[in-house]
Structure formats: structure tokens, C-alpha cells
Amino acid sequence: MIARLDAWCVAAVALGLAALATAPVADGGWMDVPALLGVVALTGIVCAASVRHGVTALWHSAVLVLLVVAGAAVSLDVVHAAGEQRVGPGFWLANLALWAVAWRGIDGVAAFRCMEPGRQKFFDLMVPAAFGLWLLYLWEIGVVGFGVPQVLLPAPGMIGERFVGSLDILWSDFRQTFLKAVLGGYLIGCGSGFLVSILVDRVPFLQRGLLPLGNMVSALPIVGVAPIMVMWFGFDWQSKAAVVVIMTFFPMLVNTVTGLAAAGAQERELMRSYAAGYWRTLFKLRLPSAMPFVFNALKINSTLALIGAIVAEFFGTPIVGMGFRISTEVGRMNVDMVWAEIAVAALAGSAFYGAVALAERTVTFWHPSYRERR
Amino acid sequence: MSLTFQTADGPVYALSDIDLQVKHGEFVSLIGPSGCGKTTLLRIVADLEQPTAGRVEVNGVSARQARLDRAYGYVFQAPALYPWRNIERNVTLPLEIIGMAREERRERARKYLELVNLGGFEKKFPWQLSGGMQQRASIARALCFEPELLLMDEPFGALDEIVRDHLNEQLLSLWAKTGKTVVFVTHSIPEAVFLSTRIVVMSPRPGRIIDVIDTNFPRDRTLDIRETPEFLKVAHRVREGLRAGHSYDD
Amino acid sequence: MTIDAGFADPAHRTLVSRLTAGKAGPVAIVSLVILMLWYAGAIGMNARMQIDAFQRQGVSWGLPDLVRETLAQERPLLPAPHQILIEMKQTIFDMRVTSKRSLVFHSWVTLSSTLLGFAAGTGLGIVLAIGIVHVRSLDKSLMPWVISSQTIPILAIAPMVVVVLGAIGLKGLVPKAIISTYLCFFPVTIGMVKGLRSPDLLQLDLMRTYNANKFQTLRLLRWPAALPFLFASLKVAIAISLVGAIVGELPTGAQAGLGARLLAGSYYGQTIQIWSALVTAALLASALVALVGVAERYLLRRMGALP
């Protein structure tokens, strides 16, 4: 433990000193050298303290993380102040140092073990959150620091501004694509898939005849039917919903049929011994034991639905919708707007998935995969 | 020596005040009801688990050093054969890790498969063998790098009694032939009495040693010995020990 | 017990039960039914336009005329299967493969970026999985992002990736392959993490008693144990890689590839062209998945895991 700790912290201090040596950090950014110096000094102190005790306590990590936050704030200042004059190599060295400290700190948080599930969960969430923030930070300083043309990749800050600035457009796109096409198609597709699978399960002939075909269809590039659906159902959201229906139907069918077969022979025989009929067995035993499979399909479909609706919009839409916005704004090279739209799609997709996952947790709480692991 | 597990419900004293010495060439059985820590004790000896207090020495070195030296062979409850390797390559697995030459590896595998009466099955895959044969293969795997000590954790627990009796006889003759030290975990009284030179009776919560019984049956005993009064006497004492530990009350 | 009674009848056994037993029979029958429904649908959907056409031309027509003509339209709402097959035959076999109208040419364009992306995505996925299984910080920080990256409809922004990469001079194969890579790596990472963790405690303990190092454990235990998981993922990955390549072709201005064929067909209302591209894509997907399946069976049999 001590050895690795040394490596990261020593690397941080060395890189920090190297950064100082190559000052000026930014052209005309001399003002920030004291701040940087302070950061390096603080790193040294913390490292010295940690080496003696080891990063054993959580507060060690907390200090390191705070240090990183402070350093990152200074860096952001520097890189934005530098503007057209690019930051020098010292800036990047300093950020490498920051990275080493961040890694050490996060490693400490990741190692956190505690008996209270709530606190453990909080810290388990901290780690990926910090990782995401760090990526955003790297994106920002990378884009600004290297002067990446905005057309190629806008900085997150800029995307954020654009996002806030055009909430009304984003909302109407969201309503058109998500609330109408995605949700409508999803409900119809999953619902019909579910009902047909019960029918298929009832008729062994269909089970043997339809299921292999359904399995095959799941591997096919179904989004390709989008132009046909647009031709059949017109430009508005109905055609997108139709694509979503087709895309979500087969995963649901295949998964539910598999799930209905999942109840064990002994459990079934138990139902038989109670003289339970088909429907009773279905509702009391087979549907509950099929639920993990059903939810698996619901989760797969939540992503597929969004993809289907947006891709279908590339083949023609009224002048509203997320896919429409993406393709037209790309044409106008308004890449920040595209990214704002992507952010909406990502948020909607994650929230949708999260909602389904939450429902799954409440319905199939008994499933072994949710048991607390010791 | 003792071991405490920290769990959400507070500490669990898995083992406490264990003091046991095993002499070279002995066959020691650890017997007790489930949850008495006999497997845990074996895992501590194998350095798969660390005691919270106390010391374990294997052949005069620490358990950890013994593991690093590959001083023992471990036989698990399940055969734990790799399904993608045939029997021969399963047996040579530890030799591969040690870095032995290919020819020597095959030589060893043949020798030890012969010893457990599995000659001719080298090219078969695990799923083509019965449960008893699989477990014999795993014993050959534990023997093939020629450790002084054999740690066996209920190796025949999952087998039916007829196969188990047969394997017990084979194990005994193996032990007589090789002169290894064996530490054997079981929850079967006849098995423990039949195989061992010494029986350690354990009881749960916390896991502790209740009784240590020396048996002095001849090395080349057969299953018939189980009908003799001496055998029944020892078995009775084991049963008494288990009862004294209140093992079935809670 | 009506089924038993049916089977007791020898006539039934020879005729009906032979057709409904096993899988091939039912699949064939269901396919046949679908084909018939397709024809019925084609006639029904195209009838209105055909009737209009008849009336405009002022010819008298009967039902046979209607059926014949609806199945032979140039731009039908729903082309009949044989029209698609004829179009596919013309564009696949009757044309030089270098021709811009040859489906072989377009398929190859799509296939090459599919395979490139598949290879890159698989490699990336395996490396990530090995890292995640072995490095705790990676497991805790990266794994949630790998999972949530799946909830982001990346396929939907594929065109933007292509356009943006095109703006910096990356054109043709690579941008599409990047999309496929992104789509591929996810199932491979997830499957491999699961697979590399699939050895149970017993088997890991066994390696521990041999004092095997991490690399030996990976090579001798985790890797072989993960192979079945890897192949299950690869089947998903190659299918999704093809989808990525097709969608990536949508914004390239309809130049080459199956996706471009779809888009061009949709611009000019060439439904038969759309359908033939779609069927070709479907065949390609099935062939690729089957190929992975063959490789899987070969390898697993060599490993002795299959009877």
C-alpha cells in the first residue's frame, strides 16, 4: 500500500515541480504561478503526511480530492484567461500532477468499506461521479487549451450555455420524439410482444415455428425499415412509433417466451398437485418467474426505442424532433446545438432506463441478483 | 489461534482457542456439525483465510510461506476440474504453473493418475467421468506436485455411500503408499474413524476443539474393521463428543 | 389428453405430427404463412393505387388483372417478395461488382467497415474488461459509465460523428468503423467482465493454493472460462456493428453502402430498392452471426466443453 501511495504522490510532486520549472504556465498567465505553487506545496504536505500514515482514513482522500478541485478551478481560470494565446507545456504537466493526485484520492474512496449500506452506496456512487466530472474537466481544458475548432468538438461549458439558452426548442423536440413516438411505440410494441408471447407459449407449434424466426429477427438491422414506415405512415410521429413497435416487439416476444419456460419442473408439479388450471398456473407461477426476463426485454427495448425513433427521423419528419434537429443542425455546423440535443437524448435515455430498472427492482426484488452480497 | 469475522450483525467468532499439532505422516480428521469451523480451520492452514489472532505453522514455516512454497495439495468439496481441459491437462495444471517441462509433466500425470486408478482416462474430459472418478482426478492433481501435506475438505461429501466407501479404501492405501500427512475434514463419523490416526472433534459457535481421539488401527485396515468393537468404541466416543458440544441444540 | 389421442392415430402421426415435430417443420410452415400474408398484404396495400391507375387509363378490369398488376408495380407501397428477389438477382448477379448499382459493391462497402469496427470494438472491449476485472479503481469508476453509455442512443448521433469526422478529413471507412467500434465494445466488455468473473471461488482458491500469479490465473483460468461469454457477446456485437455501419452511411450523401441505398431509395420512392437493400442487410447479418456461431462451436469443441 505504502509503495503505491509513494508512486502516485511522488509522481504528482515531481510533475508539479516540472510544471513550475517550465513556467510561465500560460502566456501572460504569470499571475497564476503563485496559485500553482501553492497547489504543489499543498500536494507535497499532504503527500508527506499520507506517506507517514498511509491513506487509511477517508479524510485523507477527502483532502486529496479537495486539492484536486482547487487545482482544477485554478486550471480552468488559467486556460480560459489564456484565450487565443495557448497555454504552455507547464499547464499540461500541472494537470498531469493533478491527475496523479486525483487517482490516489479516488482510489482511497473506492477502497472505502463500511457496514452501513446507505453510506457504502453513497461512496460507491461518488467514484463514478467523480470520474465523470473528471472526464468533463479534461474535455473542457482539452478543447479550450488546444484550441480545438468549435465545429469539431465544443467545450462542455458552451454546450451547457446552449442547452439553457434553447430550452423551449429542446422541450418541443423532446415532446415530439420521446413523449409521442418513443413512449407510444414502446407501449404498443412491448404490450403486443407480451400478449403474443403468451399465445405462442400456449401453442407449442408456434413456439417451435415462430421462436427461431423471432430470434433471427432480433439480430437483423431492423432500423432499416424506417424509410418504409415513413412511406406508409407519413412524416409525423406515427411512422416513428411504428419503427419503435417493430424494434421492440421481437426482444419482448423472445424474452417472455423464454421466461415463461423458466419455472422449474418441481414448481410446476406443485401447481399440478393443487389441481391448478392453466390460467392459475400462469398467474401464480409462470408470469412471476418470467418477470426477470420480461424486464430484461423492457430494459433492452428502452434503448432500442430511442434509437429507432431518432434514426427514423433522418428519413423525413415535420420540422420538429430530436433526430430532425440533429441532422439539420449538423448541416448548419451548429455543433453545440447538436450536443445539447445529444445531452437531452442521453438524459432521457438514462432516465428511461433508470425508471425501468427501478420498476424491475420493486417487482423482482426476490431475484438472486438483488441479494446483498457478503 | 482464533478467527473473528466482522459482519453487519456484529462480530462472529468463527474459531476460538484452537491449539492443534499434526505430526508428520499422520492422518488427522476434523469432524463436527456444519458451521463448526472445520473447513475454515483447514482454509487457515492453507492460507486461504487469515486468523485474527494466533499463529499457524506448516513444516516450521508460516502458512503463507507454505503456500508460496506450494507445500500442500488441497482437495475441495467439489472436484473443481476445469471443463475445458482433459483429465491429463487438469492434473498437470499446477505443474504448468510451477513451470515444469512438458515431458516431465506428462510423466507425472501418468504416474499419479495410475495411483488413483485412472490410468487410460488421460484424454477424457471431466464431464465424461463419474463424480467419484472426477474427485479421484482432483486428488491426483493435488498429489502430482508431490507436496508433503494433503489438505482435504470433505472430498467425498457429495458422493453416495457406496462410492465413498470404495474411495475411502483407496485413499487409505494411497496414504499408506505415499506416507503423506493428511488433514481431512468430514462430517461422517464412520469415515473419520475408519481413515484417521487421530480424530479432532469440534463444536460450533465459536468453533472449538472438544476432544482429540487417537485411534490405533493397523495401517492396512479394511472396511471390515467397522464391525469390530474397538471401531464402535471410538465411534461412540466421537458421538459423545459431538453431543457434549451441544451441537444440535441450537 | 386430446393430444395423446391424436398421436395414437397412425394417420396423424405420419402426416401432421411429422410436420409439427422438431423445429424445421414449424419454422417452414410459419415462414410459408408469413409469405402468404405478405402477398395478401401486397395486393391489399397496392390495390388502391392500381385501381386509380386503371380508372385513369379508362380500362375495364377484373380481379385477376388487379392481382397481376398490383404485384408488378414499379413503385409499389409494398413490393411482393418475388419482385425483391428479381431486383436482388439483377443487382447482385447480373451486374459487375464495381458498378455503382451493384448490391455486391454496396454490401462490401458496408461489410468492410462493419468488420473493421467489429475487430476494433472487440479488442477494446476485451482490454477494458481485463482492466476492470483486475483494477479496483477502474471497476468502480469505469464500469458504471460503460453501463450508462449503453443508455445513450449513440446510434442516433452516428450521422453527426460521421459529419464531424468528415470535417477534419476523416472520410469513408473510418468514421463508420468508429461508430461500429463504439457499439461493439459495450456487449463485449459486459460479457467479458461477466466471463472473467465466472470462475467460482473454489477454482480461484485452487489457483491460490498453487501460488499462481495474476497473469497465470488469467491465462489458465479466467480466459478459458470467459470464452463462452465472449462468443455470446460477439454474436450481439457483430449484428450491432452492421447496424452501426448502415446507420453511419445515412448522412454520407447517399454514395455507397447499404445505408446509402436505403436513403436513396427513400428519396426517390424506389421501394423495391429499399426492400432489396434491407433483405441483403438481413442476409448479411444472419451470415455474420452464423459465422461467429461456427467459430464458437469449433473452438468450444476443441476445448472439450461441448459433447
Side-chain angles (χ1 to χ4, degrees), chain C residues 151-164:
Chain C
T151 66
I152 298 166
I154 185 69
L155 201 58
I157 60 168
M160 194 208 67
V161 175
V162 173
V163 169
V164 164

Side-chain angles (χ1 to χ4, degrees), chain B residues 81-85 87 90 124-131 134, chain C residues 300-301 303-307:
Chain B
L81 298 171
Y82 292 177
W84 53 86
R85 292 177 155 243
I87 294 302
N90 259 298
K124 292 269 192 269
F125 281 95
W127 54 270
Q128 293 169 309
L129 268 57
S130 70
Q134 288 184 24
Chain C
L300 292 191
R301 182 162 302 164
M303 280 172 36
L306 278 181

Side-chain angles (χ1 to χ4, degrees), chain C residues 231-294:
Chain C
F231 275 106
S233 301
L234 287 185
K235 281 186 206 161
V236 177
I238 192 124
I240 202 165
S241 176
L242 181 68
V243 175
I246 290 176
V247 173
E249 280 158 1
L250 293 181
T252 51
Q255 283 153 358
L258 292 173
R261 284 295 272 187
L262 283 180
L263 198 66
S266 117
Y267 277 161
Y268 303 114
Q270 297 280 5
T271 40
I272 300 181
Q273 181 186 325
I274 297 179
W275 278 95
S276 62
L278 207 56
V279 172
T280 311
L283 290 177
L284 208 56
S286 313
L288 288 174
V289 173
L291 216 61
V292 175
V294 168

Side-chain angles (χ1 to χ4, degrees), chain B residues 115-151:
Chain B
L115 201 64
V116 296
N117 291 332
L118 275 179
F121 288 92
E122 282 88 351
K123 298 298 171 212
K124 292 269 192 269
F125 281 95
W127 54 270
Q128 293 169 309
L129 268 57
S130 70
M133 289 160 102
Q134 288 184 24
Q135 197 54 279
R136 285 195 332 243
S138 92
I139 292 172
R141 182 180 57 188
L143 287 172
C144 72
F145 58 103
E146 302 184 336
E148 279 306 299
L149 176 62
L150 208 52
L151 304 175

Side-chain angles (χ1 to χ4, degrees), chain A residues 107 110-111 124 128 131-132 152 205 208-210 219-220 224 227-228 231-232 303 307 310 314-315 330 338 342 346 349-350 353, chain C residues 20-22 26 30 45 77 136-137 140 145 150-152 155-157 159-160 163-164 168 239 250 263 266 271 275 278 282:
Chain A
D107 203 43
D124 280 352
F131 185 74
L152 203 59
F205 171 77
R208 271 173 285 146
L210 203 57
L220 300 185
I228 296 159
M231 226 169 266
W232 287 2
T303 352
I307 290 173
I310 295 180
F314 297 150
F315 290 96
V330 159
V338 176
I342 291 170
S350 309
Y353 187 91
Chain C
T20 53
V30 170
M45 289 183 74
L77 215 47
R136 183 188 55 204
S137 294
K140 286 224 168 178
W145 285 97
Q150 176 68 356
T151 66
I152 298 166
L155 201 58
I157 60 168
M160 194 208 67
V163 169
V164 164
I168 57 164
L250 293 181
L263 198 66
S266 117
T271 40
W275 278 95
L278 207 56

